[in-house]
Amino acid sequence: SNRVYSLGGTGILNCLDLATGQRIWWKDTIQDNQSHVNEWGVSCSPLVFDEFVVVSAGGRNGRSLVAYHKATGEFAWGGGDHGAGYSSPALATLAGVRQILNFNSAGVAAHAVDSGNVLWDYAWPRGHPHVAQPLVLPNDRVLVASGYGTGSELLQIQKDERWSATRLWRSNRLKPKFTNLIHLDGYIYGLDDGIMVCLDA
């Protein structure tokens, strides 16, 4: 692609020409979605895939996660009602379905890629920043974790008649404040309040 997409700390989404840096289009994601800038600013990275650029806008009334057409900046879809966290939306395939995981202010929500509709969500303790990316593990599992004494939970995601997210285990041995976690060969690596740890998945 010959374009660069960036989201600044005040919620301005820019589409720039890669060769010259000239702005092609821009959107005020806070004003567009009747949201507000979090205490520590807007920190999510845009997710660019297919014809969309997706950001965690944190608006109510179906504007928690929003997609714009990457060519024009025109609004494409929105979904969810929770405020933004400090995490970035990411693509995942769970139960055979491609979806977007977003760690918002209330927990983890999975959104349909074509409509933004919430497929499933899982509540997470509030009152502290949600920053680390949800980590997708084999066999349709997702690890959610945060700092400030909260810890980690491994979820099993299933789709029968409806979607469900069920906790498999919980641990206070891995409490990442800001850093993302890594899964390798059945082990999870990360910073537990600054101390490097390895958990058996």
Side-chain angles (χ1 to χ4, degrees), residues 10 15 18 41 46 54 58 63 70 73 79 88 110 116 122 132 144 148 163 165 168:
T10 60
C15 172
L18 177 61
V54 176
R63 293 296 186 98
K70 67 182 184 185
S88 299
Y122 187 81
V144 187
Y148 305 91
W163 288 90
L168 297 177

Side-chain angles (χ1 to χ4, degrees), residues 183-200:
H183 172 255
L184 182 66
D185 298 332
Y187 297 97
I188 299 158
Y189 300 89
L191 292 179
D192 176 50
D193 275 335
I195 299 169
M196 185 71 175
V197 302
C198 171
L199 294 189
D200 187 324

Side-chain angles (χ1 to χ4, degrees), residues 129-201:
H130 298 165
V131 185
Q133 300 285 123
L135 181 65
V136 178
L137 275 67
N139 303 315
D140 302 323
R141 296 174 298 162
V142 175
L143 185 76
V144 187
S146 64
Y148 305 91
T150 305
S152 315
E153 296 187 23
L154 185 65
L155 310 180
Q156 180 70 59
I157 310 303
Q158 288 179 281
K159 184 181 189 301
D160 300 311
E161 289 87 31
R162 51 188 296 181
W163 288 90
S164 65
T166 307
R167 185 173 76 201
L168 297 177
W169 55 252
R170 179 186 212 162
S171 173
N172 68 350
R173 299 300 184 185
L174 182 51
K175 304 176 288 297
K177 274 189 178 177
F178 309 125
T179 56
N180 292 326
L181 307 175
I182 293 170
H183 172 255
L184 182 66
D185 298 332
Y187 297 97
I188 299 158
Y189 300 89
L191 292 179
D192 176 50
D193 275 335
I195 299 169
M196 185 71 175
V197 302
C198 171
L199 294 189
D200 187 324

